[in-house]
Amino acid sequence: MVIIGSDGIGEAIARRQGFGRKLLLADCNAAVLQAAAQRLADAGFVTGTDLLIDGGVIAAMFAGKIRQPGCTSFSRS
């Protein structure tokens, strides 16, 4: 499950819909991204992260120009 925007409502959606699934959190703010990933991992979620340096990455993925944005491997805390 991909959550773009890991603060506020993004984290709430991840908590509500993501248990039992692998979560890929994406955000352009590294501090917010890592904090949300840590809180979710501490709560037992399987998380991975992708720092969106260029907002065009996701658009290019959906346009078929790239197969998958770079991300860290999934881990369980």
Side-chain angles (χ1 to χ4, degrees):
M1 182 173 168
V2 178
I3 303 292
I4 301 171
S6 57
D7 198 17
I9 197 160
E11 185 177 346
I13 290 169
R15 287 180 179 276
R16 176 81 178 202
Q17 300 293 323
F19 202 80
R21 300 178 180 177
K22 291 181 179 178
L23 297 175
L24 174 60
L25 304 175
D27 204 298
C28 59
N29 183 319
V32 168
L33 178 63
Q34 292 305 317
Q38 187 62 54
R39 285 190 300 271
L40 289 165
D42 289 347
F45 291 87
V46 178
T47 63
T49 59
D50 184 12
L51 181 60
L52 299 176
I53 296 171
D54 176 5
V57 171
I58 299 299
M61 181 183 74
F62 284 110
K65 294 182 181 178
I66 58 175
R67 298 186 85 145
Q68 169 182 338
C71 64
T72 62
S73 59
F74 290 97
S75 62
R76 180 181 286 278
S77 290

PDB file of all heavy atoms in Angstrom, residues 16-41:
ATOM      1  N   ARG A  16      -5.326   3.026   9.531  1.00  0.00           N
ATOM      2  CA  ARG A  16      -6.691   2.508   9.367  1.00  0.00           C
ATOM      3  C   ARG A  16      -6.762   1.375   8.334  1.00  0.00           C
ATOM      4  O   ARG A  16      -7.455   0.395   8.524  1.00  0.00           O
ATOM      5  CB  ARG A  16      -7.601   3.666   8.955  1.00  0.00           C
ATOM      6  CG  ARG A  16      -9.003   3.320   8.655  1.00  0.00           C
ATOM      7  CD  ARG A  16      -9.795   3.187   9.905  1.00  0.00           C
ATOM      8  NE  ARG A  16     -11.182   2.895   9.562  1.00  0.00           N
ATOM      9  CZ  ARG A  16     -12.180   3.108  10.338  1.00  0.00           C
ATOM     10  NH1 ARG A  16     -11.967   3.618  11.535  1.00  0.00           N
ATOM     11  NH2 ARG A  16     -13.384   2.808   9.979  1.00  0.00           N
ATOM     12  N   GLN A  17      -6.032   1.523   7.228  1.00  0.00           N
ATOM     13  CA  GLN A  17      -6.157   0.593   6.108  1.00  0.00           C
ATOM     14  C   GLN A  17      -4.960  -0.332   5.919  1.00  0.00           C
ATOM     15  O   GLN A  17      -5.047  -1.285   5.155  1.00  0.00           O
ATOM     16  CB  GLN A  17      -6.355   1.382   4.799  1.00  0.00           C
ATOM     17  CG  GLN A  17      -7.579   2.260   4.796  1.00  0.00           C
ATOM     18  CD  GLN A  17      -8.866   1.466   4.818  1.00  0.00           C
ATOM     19  OE1 GLN A  17      -8.963   0.424   4.199  1.00  0.00           O
ATOM     20  NE2 GLN A  17      -9.845   1.955   5.552  1.00  0.00           N
ATOM     21  N   GLY A  18      -3.846  -0.063   6.612  1.00  0.00           N
ATOM     22  CA  GLY A  18      -2.610  -0.741   6.274  1.00  0.00           C
ATOM     23  C   GLY A  18      -2.188  -1.938   7.096  1.00  0.00           C
ATOM     24  O   GLY A  18      -1.219  -2.605   6.748  1.00  0.00           O
ATOM     25  N   PHE A  19      -2.884  -2.256   8.176  1.00  0.00           N
ATOM     26  CA  PHE A  19      -2.396  -3.361   8.990  1.00  0.00           C
ATOM     27  C   PHE A  19      -2.470  -4.672   8.210  1.00  0.00           C
ATOM     28  O   PHE A  19      -3.453  -4.968   7.552  1.00  0.00           O
ATOM     29  CB  PHE A  19      -3.164  -3.483  10.311  1.00  0.00           C
ATOM     30  CG  PHE A  19      -2.367  -4.224  11.338  1.00  0.00           C
ATOM     31  CD1 PHE A  19      -1.378  -3.578  12.039  1.00  0.00           C
ATOM     32  CD2 PHE A  19      -2.567  -5.569  11.550  1.00  0.00           C
ATOM     33  CE1 PHE A  19      -0.608  -4.257  12.972  1.00  0.00           C
ATOM     34  CE2 PHE A  19      -1.809  -6.266  12.477  1.00  0.00           C
ATOM     35  CZ  PHE A  19      -0.824  -5.603  13.185  1.00  0.00           C
ATOM     36  N   GLY A  20      -1.401  -5.448   8.259  1.00  0.00           N
ATOM     37  CA  GLY A  20      -1.326  -6.699   7.515  1.00  0.00           C
ATOM     38  C   GLY A  20      -0.814  -6.516   6.098  1.00  0.00           C
ATOM     39  O   GLY A  20      -0.678  -7.479   5.352  1.00  0.00           O
ATOM     40  N   ARG A  21      -0.533  -5.292   5.708  1.00  0.00           N
ATOM     41  CA  ARG A  21      -0.004  -4.988   4.383  1.00  0.00           C
ATOM     42  C   ARG A  21       1.361  -4.343   4.525  1.00  0.00           C
ATOM     43  O   ARG A  21       1.703  -3.801   5.569  1.00  0.00           O
ATOM     44  CB  ARG A  21      -0.915  -3.995   3.652  1.00  0.00           C
ATOM     45  CG  ARG A  21      -2.308  -4.500   3.456  1.00  0.00           C
ATOM     46  CD  ARG A  21      -3.147  -3.457   2.782  1.00  0.00           C
ATOM     47  NE  ARG A  21      -4.501  -3.964   2.592  1.00  0.00           N
ATOM     48  CZ  ARG A  21      -5.472  -3.266   2.084  1.00  0.00           C
ATOM     49  NH1 ARG A  21      -5.264  -2.028   1.679  1.00  0.00           N
ATOM     50  NH2 ARG A  21      -6.667  -3.784   1.941  1.00  0.00           N
ATOM     51  N   LYS A  22       2.141  -4.387   3.470  1.00  0.00           N
ATOM     52  CA  LYS A  22       3.395  -3.639   3.436  1.00  0.00           C
ATOM     53  C   LYS A  22       3.053  -2.203   3.083  1.00  0.00           C
ATOM     54  O   LYS A  22       2.321  -1.951   2.132  1.00  0.00           O
ATOM     55  CB  LYS A  22       4.347  -4.207   2.393  1.00  0.00           C
ATOM     56  CG  LYS A  22       4.869  -5.575   2.759  1.00  0.00           C
ATOM     57  CD  LYS A  22       5.822  -6.065   1.702  1.00  0.00           C
ATOM     58  CE  LYS A  22       6.362  -7.427   2.075  1.00  0.00           C
ATOM     59  NZ  LYS A  22       7.251  -7.959   1.034  1.00  0.00           N
ATOM     60  N   LEU A  23       3.580  -1.269   3.850  1.00  0.00           N
ATOM     61  CA  LEU A  23       3.331   0.152   3.614  1.00  0.00           C
ATOM     62  C   LEU A  23       4.565   0.804   3.024  1.00  0.00           C
ATOM     63  O   LEU A  23       5.660   0.657   3.551  1.00  0.00           O
ATOM     64  CB  LEU A  23       2.999   0.863   4.928  1.00  0.00           C
ATOM     65  CG  LEU A  23       1.744   0.424   5.661  1.00  0.00           C
ATOM     66  CD1 LEU A  23       1.655   1.149   7.004  1.00  0.00           C
ATOM     67  CD2 LEU A  23       0.524   0.709   4.818  1.00  0.00           C
ATOM     68  N   LEU A  24       4.390   1.521   1.937  1.00  0.00           N
ATOM     69  CA  LEU A  24       5.443   2.360   1.388  1.00  0.00           C
ATOM     70  C   LEU A  24       5.015   3.797   1.623  1.00  0.00           C
ATOM     71  O   LEU A  24       4.008   4.250   1.070  1.00  0.00           O
ATOM     72  CB  LEU A  24       5.647   2.106  -0.110  1.00  0.00           C
ATOM     73  CG  LEU A  24       6.643   3.043  -0.792  1.00  0.00           C
ATOM     74  CD1 LEU A  24       8.027   2.913  -0.150  1.00  0.00           C
ATOM     75  CD2 LEU A  24       6.708   2.750  -2.273  1.00  0.00           C
ATOM     76  N   LEU A  25       5.733   4.479   2.490  1.00  0.00           N
ATOM     77  CA  LEU A  25       5.445   5.875   2.797  1.00  0.00           C
ATOM     78  C   LEU A  25       6.317   6.752   1.919  1.00  0.00           C
ATOM     79  O   LEU A  25       7.522   6.524   1.822  1.00  0.00           O
ATOM     80  CB  LEU A  25       5.742   6.183   4.261  1.00  0.00           C
ATOM     81  CG  LEU A  25       5.027   5.327   5.301  1.00  0.00           C
ATOM     82  CD1 LEU A  25       5.533   5.679   6.692  1.00  0.00           C
ATOM     83  CD2 LEU A  25       3.534   5.497   5.204  1.00  0.00           C
ATOM     84  N   ALA A  26       5.709   7.751   1.292  1.00  0.00           N
ATOM     85  CA  ALA A  26       6.455   8.675   0.441  1.00  0.00           C
ATOM     86  C   ALA A  26       6.158  10.099   0.882  1.00  0.00           C
ATOM     87  O   ALA A  26       5.012  10.451   1.164  1.00  0.00           O
ATOM     88  CB  ALA A  26       6.057   8.486  -1.013  1.00  0.00           C
ATOM     89  N   ASP A  27       7.200  10.911   0.967  1.00  0.00           N
ATOM     90  CA  ASP A  27       7.035  12.299   1.373  1.00  0.00           C
ATOM     91  C   ASP A  27       8.241  13.080   0.877  1.00  0.00           C
ATOM     92  O   ASP A  27       9.296  12.490   0.618  1.00  0.00           O
ATOM     93  CB  ASP A  27       6.933  12.398   2.903  1.00  0.00           C
ATOM     94  CG  ASP A  27       6.198  13.643   3.363  1.00  0.00           C
ATOM     95  OD1 ASP A  27       6.688  14.758   3.073  1.00  0.00           O
ATOM     96  OD2 ASP A  27       5.147  13.510   3.984  1.00  0.00           O
ATOM     97  N   CYS A  28       8.097  14.401   0.748  1.00  0.00           N
ATOM     98  CA  CYS A  28       9.230  15.232   0.328  1.00  0.00           C
ATOM     99  C   CYS A  28       9.976  15.812   1.522  1.00  0.00           C
ATOM    100  O   CYS A  28      10.980  16.480   1.361  1.00  0.00           O
ATOM    101  CB  CYS A  28       8.755  16.332  -0.613  1.00  0.00           C
ATOM    102  SG  CYS A  28       7.518  17.405   0.102  1.00  0.00           S
ATOM    103  N   ASN A  29       9.504  15.541   2.727  1.00  0.00           N
ATOM    104  CA  ASN A  29      10.150  16.017   3.946  1.00  0.00           C
ATOM    105  C   ASN A  29      10.731  14.813   4.681  1.00  0.00           C
ATOM    106  O   ASN A  29       9.991  13.995   5.239  1.00  0.00           O
ATOM    107  CB  ASN A  29       9.117  16.746   4.819  1.00  0.00           C
ATOM    108  CG  ASN A  29       9.717  17.334   6.068  1.00  0.00           C
ATOM    109  OD1 ASN A  29      10.548  16.726   6.724  1.00  0.00           O
ATOM    110  ND2 ASN A  29       9.264  18.531   6.414  1.00  0.00           N
ATOM    111  N   ALA A  30      12.054  14.708   4.686  1.00  0.00           N
ATOM    112  CA  ALA A  30      12.732  13.539   5.259  1.00  0.00           C
ATOM    113  C   ALA A  30      12.421  13.352   6.739  1.00  0.00           C
ATOM    114  O   ALA A  30      12.220  12.225   7.198  1.00  0.00           O
ATOM    115  CB  ALA A  30      14.239  13.644   5.040  1.00  0.00           C
ATOM    116  N   ALA A  31      12.376  14.434   7.505  1.00  0.00           N
ATOM    117  CA  ALA A  31      12.131  14.321   8.946  1.00  0.00           C
ATOM    118  C   ALA A  31      10.722  13.803   9.226  1.00  0.00           C
ATOM    119  O   ALA A  31      10.535  12.912  10.070  1.00  0.00           O
ATOM    120  CB  ALA A  31      12.352  15.676   9.623  1.00  0.00           C
ATOM    121  N   VAL A  32       9.741  14.326   8.520  1.00  0.00           N
ATOM    122  CA  VAL A  32       8.355  13.887   8.680  1.00  0.00           C
ATOM    123  C   VAL A  32       8.220  12.424   8.267  1.00  0.00           C
ATOM    124  O   VAL A  32       7.573  11.623   8.944  1.00  0.00           O
ATOM    125  CB  VAL A  32       7.407  14.784   7.850  1.00  0.00           C
ATOM    126  CG1 VAL A  32       6.013  14.198   7.759  1.00  0.00           C
ATOM    127  CG2 VAL A  32       7.348  16.184   8.454  1.00  0.00           C
ATOM    128  N   LEU A  33       8.851  12.087   7.154  1.00  0.00           N
ATOM    129  CA  LEU A  33       8.799  10.724   6.624  1.00  0.00           C
ATOM    130  C   LEU A  33       9.365   9.712   7.615  1.00  0.00           C
ATOM    131  O   LEU A  33       8.733   8.706   7.932  1.00  0.00           O
ATOM    132  CB  LEU A  33       9.563  10.666   5.302  1.00  0.00           C
ATOM    133  CG  LEU A  33       9.667   9.320   4.611  1.00  0.00           C
ATOM    134  CD1 LEU A  33       8.290   8.813   4.209  1.00  0.00           C
ATOM    135  CD2 LEU A  33      10.564   9.443   3.382  1.00  0.00           C
ATOM    136  N   GLN A  34      10.548   9.980   8.138  1.00  0.00           N
ATOM    137  CA  GLN A  34      11.191   9.046   9.059  1.00  0.00           C
ATOM    138  C   GLN A  34      10.432   8.948  10.381  1.00  0.00           C
ATOM    139  O   GLN A  34      10.327   7.864  10.958  1.00  0.00           O
ATOM    140  CB  GLN A  34      12.652   9.429   9.297  1.00  0.00           C
ATOM    141  CG  GLN A  34      13.520   9.242   8.073  1.00  0.00           C
ATOM    142  CD  GLN A  34      13.454   7.836   7.507  1.00  0.00           C
ATOM    143  OE1 GLN A  34      13.484   6.853   8.244  1.00  0.00           O
ATOM    144  NE2 GLN A  34      13.334   7.724   6.196  1.00  0.00           N
ATOM    145  N   ALA A  35       9.898  10.062  10.856  1.00  0.00           N
ATOM    146  CA  ALA A  35       9.139  10.039  12.116  1.00  0.00           C
ATOM    147  C   ALA A  35       7.878   9.194  11.965  1.00  0.00           C
ATOM    148  O   ALA A  35       7.562   8.382  12.837  1.00  0.00           O
ATOM    149  CB  ALA A  35       8.792  11.463  12.548  1.00  0.00           C
ATOM    150  N   ALA A  36       7.157   9.375  10.858  1.00  0.00           N
ATOM    151  CA  ALA A  36       5.941   8.589  10.628  1.00  0.00           C
ATOM    152  C   ALA A  36       6.272   7.109  10.470  1.00  0.00           C
ATOM    153  O   ALA A  36       5.592   6.248  11.022  1.00  0.00           O
ATOM    154  CB  ALA A  36       5.197   9.099   9.396  1.00  0.00           C
ATOM    155  N   ALA A  37       7.332   6.808   9.720  1.00  0.00           N
ATOM    156  CA  ALA A  37       7.736   5.413   9.521  1.00  0.00           C
ATOM    157  C   ALA A  37       8.100   4.764  10.855  1.00  0.00           C
ATOM    158  O   ALA A  37       7.734   3.615  11.111  1.00  0.00           O
ATOM    159  CB  ALA A  37       8.916   5.337   8.552  1.00  0.00           C
ATOM    160  N   GLN A  38       8.779   5.495  11.716  1.00  0.00           N
ATOM    161  CA  GLN A  38       9.164   4.956  13.019  1.00  0.00           C
ATOM    162  C   GLN A  38       7.948   4.707  13.898  1.00  0.00           C
ATOM    163  O   GLN A  38       7.838   3.661  14.541  1.00  0.00           O
ATOM    164  CB  GLN A  38      10.141   5.896  13.731  1.00  0.00           C
ATOM    165  CG  GLN A  38      10.704   5.318  15.009  1.00  0.00           C
ATOM    166  CD  GLN A  38      11.497   4.048  14.758  1.00  0.00           C
ATOM    167  OE1 GLN A  38      12.420   4.049  13.948  1.00  0.00           O
ATOM    168  NE2 GLN A  38      11.144   2.960  15.417  1.00  0.00           N
ATOM    169  N   ARG A  39       7.011   5.653  13.915  1.00  0.00           N
ATOM    170  CA  ARG A  39       5.790   5.465  14.721  1.00  0.00           C
ATOM    171  C   ARG A  39       5.000   4.251  14.237  1.00  0.00           C
ATOM    172  O   ARG A  39       4.512   3.454  15.045  1.00  0.00           O
ATOM    173  CB  ARG A  39       4.910   6.719  14.666  1.00  0.00           C
ATOM    174  CG  ARG A  39       5.413   7.872  15.505  1.00  0.00           C
ATOM    175  CD  ARG A  39       4.396   8.995  15.604  1.00  0.00           C
ATOM    176  NE  ARG A  39       4.035   9.576  14.311  1.00  0.00           N
ATOM    177  CZ  ARG A  39       4.679  10.585  13.735  1.00  0.00           C
ATOM    178  NH1 ARG A  39       5.733  11.134  14.344  1.00  0.00           N
ATOM    179  NH2 ARG A  39       4.259  11.070  12.577  1.00  0.00           N
ATOM    180  N   LEU A  40       4.884   4.103  12.926  1.00  0.00           N
ATOM    181  CA  LEU A  40       4.143   2.961  12.378  1.00  0.00           C
ATOM    182  C   LEU A  40       4.872   1.649  12.645  1.00  0.00           C
ATOM    183  O   LEU A  40       4.255   0.646  13.000  1.00  0.00           O
ATOM    184  CB  LEU A  40       3.893   3.160  10.883  1.00  0.00           C
ATOM    185  CG  LEU A  40       2.868   4.248  10.561  1.00  0.00           C
ATOM    186  CD1 LEU A  40       2.938   4.633   9.095  1.00  0.00           C
ATOM    187  CD2 LEU A  40       1.468   3.792  10.937  1.00  0.00           C
ATOM    188  N   ALA A  41       6.201   1.644  12.490  1.00  0.00           N
ATOM    189  CA  ALA A  41       6.975   0.432  12.775  1.00  0.00           C
ATOM    190  C   ALA A  41       6.859   0.056  14.248  1.00  0.00           C
ATOM    191  O   ALA A  41       6.695  -1.123  14.578  1.00  0.00           O
ATOM    192  CB  ALA A  41       8.437   0.640  12.383  1.00  0.00           C
TER     193      ALA A  41
END
